[in-house]
Amino acid sequence: MTVPQAEFIQRDRGQQPPALSPGYKTSILRSPRLALWSLQNSLSEFTGPVFGREELGPLDHDLLLNYAKTGEPIGERTIVHGRVMDENGRGVANTLVEVWQANAGGRYRHKNDTYLAPIDPNFGGCGRVITDETGAYAFRTVKPGAYPFRNQVNSWRPAHIHFSLSGSGFAQRLITQMYFEGDPLIPMDAILNTIPDPAARQRLVAPLDLNAAVPLDSLAYRFDIVLRGTRSTLFENKLQGN
Amino acid sequence: MTTLEYLPETPSQTAGPYVHIGLIPHQAGFDIFEKPFGNILVGRNTQGERIRIEGRVFDGLGSPCRDILLEIWQANAAGRYNHPADGQTDKPLDPGFRGWGRTGTEFDTGLYRFDTIKPGPVIGRRGHKPMAPHVNIWLAARGINIGLATRLYFDDEPALNEEDPVLRMIEPAIRRQTLLARRENRDGGVVYVFDIHLQGENETVFFDV
Ligand SMILES: [Fe+2]
């Protein structure tokens, strides 16, 4: 029996936030303190769940319509689109992209969110889509509002959209957040600043993409996402199986 | 130094306190998708021993965390993953089993649960022995900047666990205990209890996969 021994390129932890980032206070009690055990990939890491388009509804990626009850939600009509690639620059096809966000006033439809801004009766605040053969995805929404959170007395989150990516293997699994170019709250955000490298932080800031806007209808932002790439297996030693 | 043209991986960010909205909206308090994802991995035709996995996730002070997202990924009862890269063609695929599920710890009890089957052993890396039956777990939450990966092994498989190439590598050996789920018979079913400690004396082994 031959089993492909493909594996992902080792994660560059220098591009990633450390588990413990005291500026984000909640991380203090929730960060492992012992070293992670490095694990060469086996099938358990290289494989992962496969999702089919038939599992998604036709409006799942359209947050303007997927919870509309009496009309459409209030806010700036916005398209967010981009491409999911791996570190080798190849598009990641057929991968599940899920998003969630606050409404235009900065309020989440969540039983634990008690912020003053009102719930929008026509906005659920979540969506999902599967990338096409080139790794491209797009969804439509309203631009989320900034909101306060309990960290320091006067901590505010810049407008952001949460992203979840399944990848093709379980070790590619990623959750992140996308920000909007030009938001003055970005430089002081305690969450974004958990990432030490300024260039890495900048990659979470989506530029306005006027060419992808729909004239007289919706603005657009572009957010490309990179998941871990696979390592080429050149000159691999063939060990004896047992 | 010349820079080769690799793209750097997108940085991770915390899933935040409202992760439920996007990934398990029912727990946030509403239903939106016709086919939501969930924590029941088994259907009527799934092959294998029905089990429940249940546990809590504790922070550094020993308090249960009530807003953790957990996902599991596992092989079927024969030990094969439902994925095209799994070339163990001598083992059957089970069309009734994707092998993946997600849930959140409950807001009141802090408990999480999955209804699944016990997986079979999977082939190891080239040159290594087969891996003992295990379930891959990934968790994300408020206060967790980058998702944490661990594995659940079964405490009623001592012989296979002894030979497992991943468990064997963990030192000191006492830490291997943090990856063992405890089998219980409860209400006519089999429950494996698996608690996860993010930090502290019994910190769970997390992997850099
Ligand atoms: Fe948020």
Side-chain angles (χ1 to χ4, degrees), chain A residues 181-193:
Chain A
E181 177 182 18
D183 188 328
L185 290 167
I186 286 176
M188 56 208 105
D189 181 38
I191 303 292
L192 184 54
N193 285 327

Side-chain angles (χ1 to χ4, degrees), chain A residues 38-57:
Chain A
S38 293
L39 198 56
Q40 285 186 287
N41 286 179
S42 67
L43 281 179
S44 296
E45 290 74 37
F46 193 70
T47 62
V50 177
F51 300 96
R53 284 187 179 72
E54 73 286 353
E55 295 181 78
L56 273 48

Side-chain angles (χ1 to χ4, degrees), chain A residues 1-5 7 9 11-13 15-21 24 26-52 54-56 60 66-67 85-89 96 98-101 108-114 124-128 147 157 162 164 168-171 173-177 179 189 191-192 194-195 200-201 203-204 223-228 236-242, chain B residues 5-37 58-61 64-69 71-73 79 81-91 98-102 107 122-131 134 136-138 140-151 165-166 169-172 175 197-209:
Chain A
M1 173 182 49
T2 55
V3 172
Q5 294 285 326
E7 57 189 17
I9 297 168
R11 176 169 262 155
D12 181 356
R13 294 266 165 187
Q15 297 287 328
Q16 296 291 345
L20 173 62
S21 51
Y24 173 31
T26 316
S27 75
I28 294 173
L29 281 178
R30 291 184 167 199
S31 43
R33 296 301 164 84
L34 302 176
L36 302 177
W37 275 94
S38 293
L39 198 56
Q40 285 186 287
N41 286 179
S42 67
L43 281 179
S44 296
E45 290 74 37
F46 193 70
T47 62
V50 177
F51 300 96
E54 73 286 353
E55 295 181 78
L56 273 48
D60 282 6
N66 70 12
Y67 203 76
M85 293 167 286
D86 69 16
E87 289 167 295
N88 302 305
L96 180 66
E98 297 165 284
V99 296
W100 67 101
Q101 63 167 90
Y108 282 100
R109 181 175 290 280
H110 191 289
K111 55 171 72 156
N112 296 343
D113 187 2
T114 55
C126 59
R128 51 190 196 172
Y147 62 85
R157 297 299 326 282
H162 297 264
S164 164
S168 60
F170 205 47
R173 188 82 180 80
L174 182 72
I175 284 181
T176 189
Q177 302 184 29
Y179 303 87
D189 181 38
I191 303 292
L192 184 54
T194 60
I195 302 164
R201 291 199 291 272
R203 291 200 298 277
L204 297 183
F223 185 48
D224 291 334
I225 297 161
V226 179
L227 302 180
R228 294 170 66 191
E236 203 78 75
N237 277 323
K238 297 230 178 349
L239 301 176
Q240 291 303 310
N242 57 357
Chain B
E5 295 216 352
Y6 286 94
L7 303 172
E9 185 190 16
T10 297
S12 167
Q13 292 264 266
T14 177
Y18 307 125
V19 58
H20 316 88
I21 296 174
L23 304 188
I24 36 175
H26 186 76
Q27 193 171 345
F30 66 104
D31 294 298
I32 180 165
F33 302 128
E34 205 171 304
K35 294 182 183 168
F37 301 122
F58 297 94
D59 71 12
L61 288 179
C65 303
R66 301 161 202 275
D67 54 6
I68 306 278
L69 175 89
E71 293 184 349
I72 63 173
W73 170 242
Y81 285 104
N82 193 346
H83 186 280
D86 187 332
Q88 301 177 97
T89 46
D90 55 331
K91 299 175 179 177
R98 168 151 56 193
W100 174 85
R102 69 158 57 126
F107 294 143
V122 174
I123 189 170
R125 284 174 54 78
R126 187 161 45 214
H128 290 268
K129 293 193 167 145
M131 296 187 282
H134 65 277
N136 306 288
I137 302 182
W138 188 82
R142 182 173 70 101
I144 295 178
N145 290 327
I146 182 164
L148 297 169
T150 188
R151 287 185 175 193
V166 172
M169 142 189 110
I170 296 166
E171 298 285 352
R175 294 201 68 210
H197 296 263
L198 298 176
Q199 192 189 98
E201 211 177 325
N202 299 313
E203 184 177 309
T204 297
V205 171
F206 296 105
F207 295 105
D208 192 7
V209 287

